[in-house]
């Protein structure tokens, strides 16, 4: 395509338009000039008719044929008169000019009259024909000359406009096009500059607009290039992370059920090349375990990860247990699912071995608790046998108290042996059994002593906490039964235990007995049993002991719960 097409089209269109206007003007001029000459000729004929009327009338009257011939010849010399004929009643007297049909050209007929006194007597007729062909030829020649002159001027004007347009517009447009072509093939370079004085015209506006667009385009392309570089780096980093991930990662097209991507771990886990995996569908890898995506995704709208375990068989026939985490991915035009498979076969086997080992240890520990309880029962029985051989006195009382303490601790081991949790004991069940044991030993029913227990929330306590608590309750209940009531029929011992705060327990043991002496000091006057209470609470459980007396005695004890948690 010619780059000069705009200028050439403007030149041709200007010239053709000018020619059309020139032809239209020539046609109008031709009509106007033709009518004008015809009117002028008519006027000349009127003047001739009036001028020769008297002379011709006199020549006809006097039968002067020479004069008629001379007059006719003179009339014929006028321009655009091509025939003159003079006749009277007898016939044609003079006929000069071009012979032809009188109907072809315009004819002017004049009646010639001769004046006699006051009368006008017709004596003949003068006929003149106008040479319309010559008038037409002259007018056409005149108009043609004018048209040729106008065409020459129009051609010169169109050529001048073409040159000016080429100089002021198309030349610069060609340079802009060359710059755009270079800018398209090799983005960059200097801004567009034209060898012209800036005048603020349309070309200058176009150049400024293009340079502004160029700057914005370069900035956008630079930003896009940086974004693409970051995207490529991110994609490479993502690809590296995916390929180096220890989990087997597969990407599934949920619409077709076929895999569209797989990492190196998937290739190793399923013992198949990546190309083979990408030709497989979901049911080929999980034929009997998963029915499409219905099981892990439910209604298919949830985007929360779904974690399931599946047994699979690799291409080499090895059975594996994998932990399958499915996550739905949103991508324009299709729905993808990322399946992250972690081979947990070794972990499952290790867990099974741990479970077997733990079960064996639980059985062993239960046996230890059972044997410990039995040994303590044997020790208690031996002490009771020893007490039976001694005479009643302080020694037998001491042995009885030791037997009772041993049975309190043996009861803990019995509870642990019977419990599913080998480190914790339900406190209420233990205290119910402990108070039943104390009631049998102390004869509370025979002495009409009621013991009421209140345990809030039934906490589970560790063995290291339960044994001191059991020993404390044993000492306080034993002391109350021995010394507080002295035959009172309404004897009552209340035991309450609850949580008093985060990590704290509160134990309250109260009775409605006679109370302690007013000057009682736990740190100085207490016997071995109460000293045991203080030592168990303050030293082993890091708690505090308070005692109040009046209408009976109330022991308020606070201790830490879970003090030995880190040991389990």
């Amino acid at each position: 395509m010619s780059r000069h097409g705009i200028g050439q089209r403007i030149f041709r269109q200007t010239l053709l338009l000018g020619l059309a206007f020139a032809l239209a003007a020539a046609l109008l001029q031709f009509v106007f000039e033709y009518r004008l000459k015809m009117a002028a000729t008519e006027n000349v004929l009127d003047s001739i008719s009036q001028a020769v009327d008297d002379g011709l009338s006199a020549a006809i009257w006097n039968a002067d044929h020479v004069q008629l011939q001379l007059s006719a010849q003179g009339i014929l010399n006028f321009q655009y008169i091509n025939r003159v004929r003079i006749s009277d009643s007898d016939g044609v007297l003079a006929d000069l000019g071009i012979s032809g049909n009188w109907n072809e050209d315009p004819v002017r007929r004049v009646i010639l009259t001769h004046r006699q006194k006051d009368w006008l007597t017709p004596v003949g007729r003068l006929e003149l024909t106008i040479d319309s062909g010559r008038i037409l030829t002259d007018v056409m020649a005149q108009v043609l000359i004018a048209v040729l002159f106008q065409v020459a001027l129009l051609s010169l004007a169109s050529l001048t406009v073409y040159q000016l347009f080429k100089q002021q517009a198309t030349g610069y447009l060609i340079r802009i096009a060359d710059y755009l072509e270079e800018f398209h093939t090799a983005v960059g370079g200097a801004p567009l500059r034209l060898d012209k004085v800036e005048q603020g015209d349309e070309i200058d506006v176009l150049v400024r607009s293009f340079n502004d667009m160029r700057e914005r385009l370069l900035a956008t392309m630079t930003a896009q290039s940086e974004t693409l570089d970051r995207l490529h780096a991110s994609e490479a980093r993502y690809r590296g992370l995916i390929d180096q991930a220890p989990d087997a990662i597969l990407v599934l097209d949920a619409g077709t059920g076929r895999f569209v991507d797989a990492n190196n771990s998937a290739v190793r886990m399923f013992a198949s090349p990546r190309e083979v995996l990408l030709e497989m569908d979901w049911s080929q890898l999980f034929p009997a375990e998963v029915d499409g995506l219905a099981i892990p995704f439910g209604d298919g709208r949830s985007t929360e990860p779904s974690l399931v375990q599946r047994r699979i068989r690799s291409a080499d026939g090895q059975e594996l247990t994998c932990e399958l985490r499915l996550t739905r991915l949103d991508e324009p035009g299709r729905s993808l699912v990322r399946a992250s498979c972690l081979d947990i076969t070794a972990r499952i086997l290790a867990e099974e071995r741990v479970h077997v080992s733990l079960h064996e240890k639980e059985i062993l520990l239960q046996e230890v608790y059972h044997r410990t309880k039995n040994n303590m029962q044997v020790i208690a029985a031996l002490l009771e046998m020893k007490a039976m051989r001694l005479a009643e006195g302080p020694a037998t009382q001491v042995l009885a108290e030791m037997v009772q303490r041993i049975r309190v601790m043996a009861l803990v081991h019995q509870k642990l042996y019977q419990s599913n949790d080998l480190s914790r004991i339900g406190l209420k069940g233990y205290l119910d059994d402990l108070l039943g044991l104390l009631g049998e030993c102390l004869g509370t029913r025979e002495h009409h002593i009621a013991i009421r227990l209140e345990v809030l929330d039934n906490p589970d306590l560790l063995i290291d906490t339960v044994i001191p608590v059991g020993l404390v309750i044993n000492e306080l209940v034993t002391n109350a039964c021995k010394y507080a009531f002295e035959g009172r029929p309404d004897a009552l011992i209340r035991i309450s235990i609850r949580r008093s705060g985060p990590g704290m327990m509160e134990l309250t043991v109260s009775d409605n007995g006679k109370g302690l002496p007013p000057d009682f000091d736990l740190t100085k006057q207490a016997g071995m049993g109460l000293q045991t209470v203080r030592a168990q609470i303050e030293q082993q459980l890091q708690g505090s002991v308070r005692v109040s007396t009046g209408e009976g005695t109330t022991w308020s004890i606070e201790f830490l719960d879970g003090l030995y948690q880190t040991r389990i």
Side-chain angles (χ1 to χ4, degrees), residues 117 221 244 289 307 356 391 405 477 565:
K117 295 181 181 181
M221 294 179 68
Q244 295 172 10
E289 299 290 341
L307 185 63
V356 172
R405 294 186 181 104
V477 171
Q565 182 73 28

Side-chain angles (χ1 to χ4, degrees), residues 378-549:
V378 170
I379 293 172
L382 291 174
L383 291 176
E384 287 179 339
M385 292 175 61
K386 182 66 176 177
M388 292 172 60
R389 294 185 179 184
L390 296 176
E392 188 71 24
T396 58
Q397 185 177 357
V398 170
L399 288 176
E401 292 176 355
M402 291 179 61
V403 168
Q404 189 170 328
R405 294 186 181 104
I406 291 173
R407 286 179 175 174
V408 169
M409 292 185 288
L411 181 61
V412 172
H413 289 280
Q414 179 180 344
K415 287 293 183 180
L416 288 172
Y417 166 72
Q418 297 172 348
S419 172
N420 293 327
D421 190 343
L422 298 179
S423 62
R424 291 180 176 272
I425 298 176
L427 187 59
K428 187 177 186 307
Y430 169 71
L431 292 182
D432 286 336
D433 292 345
L434 175 61
L435 294 177
L437 178 64
L438 291 178
E440 293 178 1
C441 295
L442 299 174
T444 56
R445 179 173 298 180
E446 291 80 1
H447 295 88
H448 304 288
I449 300 174
I451 301 177
R452 295 181 181 177
L453 174 65
E454 182 182 11
V455 180
L456 298 180
D457 301 329
N458 190 23
D460 293 335
L461 300 182
L462 296 172
I463 181 175
D464 295 314
T465 304
V466 172
I467 291 178
V469 170
L471 292 174
V472 168
I473 293 176
N474 172 68
E475 295 297 336
L476 295 178
V477 171
T478 300
N479 283 346
C481 291
K482 286 183 177 180
Y483 308 113
F485 303 112
E486 294 182 352
R488 286 192 178 188
D490 58 347
L492 176 63
I493 299 174
R494 294 179 181 272
I495 302 172
S496 173
I497 187 166
R498 67 183 182 87
R499 293 189 182 277
S500 60
M504 293 297 295
M505 299 292 295
E506 181 181 23
L507 170 64
T508 303
V509 180
S510 62
D511 61 68
N512 60 352
K514 64 181 181 180
L516 296 172
D519 58 348
F520 177 79
D521 187 352
L522 180 62
T523 61
K524 297 178 181 180
Q525 301 175 359
M528 179 180 177
L530 295 181
Q531 291 297 332
T532 300
V533 170
R534 182 184 175 194
Q536 293 289 332
I537 296 300
E538 293 183 353
Q539 296 178 15
Q540 188 165 350
L541 298 181
Q542 298 183 12
S544 62
V545 180
R546 298 192 310 275
V547 60
S548 61
T549 187

Side-chain angles (χ1 to χ4, degrees), residues 75-328:
I75 294 172
L76 192 60
N77 290 331
F78 281 94
Q79 190 178 15
Y80 305 128
I81 297 176
N82 60 353
R83 188 174 183 182
V84 179
R85 185 170 66 178
I86 303 172
S87 61
D88 57 8
S89 58
D90 295 330
V92 176
L93 301 177
D95 189 358
L96 300 178
I98 301 174
S99 61
N101 190 355
W102 286 87
N103 296 325
E104 295 178 357
D105 293 320
V107 178
R108 171 62 60 87
R109 292 179 173 85
V110 180
I111 302 300
L112 301 176
T113 60
H114 180 69
R115 181 180 296 276
Q116 289 181 337
K117 295 181 181 181
D118 295 329
W119 296 96
L120 292 176
T121 303
V123 293
R125 184 173 60 182
L126 173 64
E127 294 177 313
L128 303 174
T129 61
I130 300 174
D131 192 355
S132 59
R134 184 178 175 186
I135 294 176
L136 183 62
T137 302
D138 290 347
V139 171
M140 289 182 63
Q142 181 181 354
V143 171
L144 181 61
I145 293 172
V147 167
L148 293 175
F149 181 73
Q150 291 176 2
V151 168
L153 289 179
L154 284 173
S155 300
L156 181 61
S158 299
L159 184 61
T160 303
V161 170
Y162 167 70
Q163 293 296 333
L164 289 175
F165 189 80
K166 180 179 178 182
Q167 180 181 359
Q168 298 294 327
T170 56
Y172 296 126
L173 292 176
I174 291 172
R175 293 194 56 188
I176 292 174
D178 292 337
Y179 182 86
L180 289 176
E181 185 175 353
E182 295 176 0
F183 183 81
H184 175 72
T185 55
V187 178
L192 176 60
R193 295 286 185 268
L194 299 178
D195 297 333
K196 68 184 291 291
V197 178
E198 187 170 350
Q199 299 175 343
D201 54 17
E202 290 81 356
I203 298 297
D204 294 331
V205 172
L206 179 62
V207 171
R208 285 196 300 269
S209 299
F210 176 77
N211 286 331
D212 292 340
M213 181 188 69
R214 170 186 172 277
E215 295 297 329
R216 292 193 298 271
L217 180 61
L218 290 177
T220 302
M221 294 179 68
T222 302
Q224 288 180 347
S225 178
E226 295 175 354
T227 302
L228 286 176
D229 291 341
R230 290 194 298 269
L231 181 61
H232 292 159
S234 176
E235 184 178 359
R237 185 165 56 251
Y238 169 77
R239 185 75 256 179
L241 291 174
I242 293 298
D243 284 338
Q244 295 172 10
D247 294 358
I249 299 177
L250 298 164
V251 179
L252 174 74
D253 188 337
T256 62
R258 303 184 70 87
F259 295 103
V260 297
D261 198 3
N263 69 344
N264 295 332
S265 297
V267 172
R268 291 191 296 269
M269 175 180 290
F270 296 101
S272 299
R274 190 191 306 269
E275 295 76 12
V276 176
L277 289 176
L278 298 185
E279 293 178 356
M280 301 174 69
D281 58 24
W282 181 266
S283 60
Q284 289 177 283
L285 288 185
F286 307 95
E289 299 290 341
V290 179
D291 183 13
L293 295 177
I295 293 178
F297 278 100
D299 58 3
R301 292 189 295 270
S302 176
T303 58
E304 293 297 325
S306 176
L307 185 63
V308 292
Q309 284 189 7
R310 293 289 181 266
R311 293 187 63 82
I312 62 174
R313 185 185 299 274
S314 62
D316 57 2
Q318 184 180 5
E319 289 190 359
L320 303 174
T321 301
C322 70
E323 189 175 72
L324 188 61
R325 184 180 297 273
L326 301 174
T327 306
R328 187 172 293 276

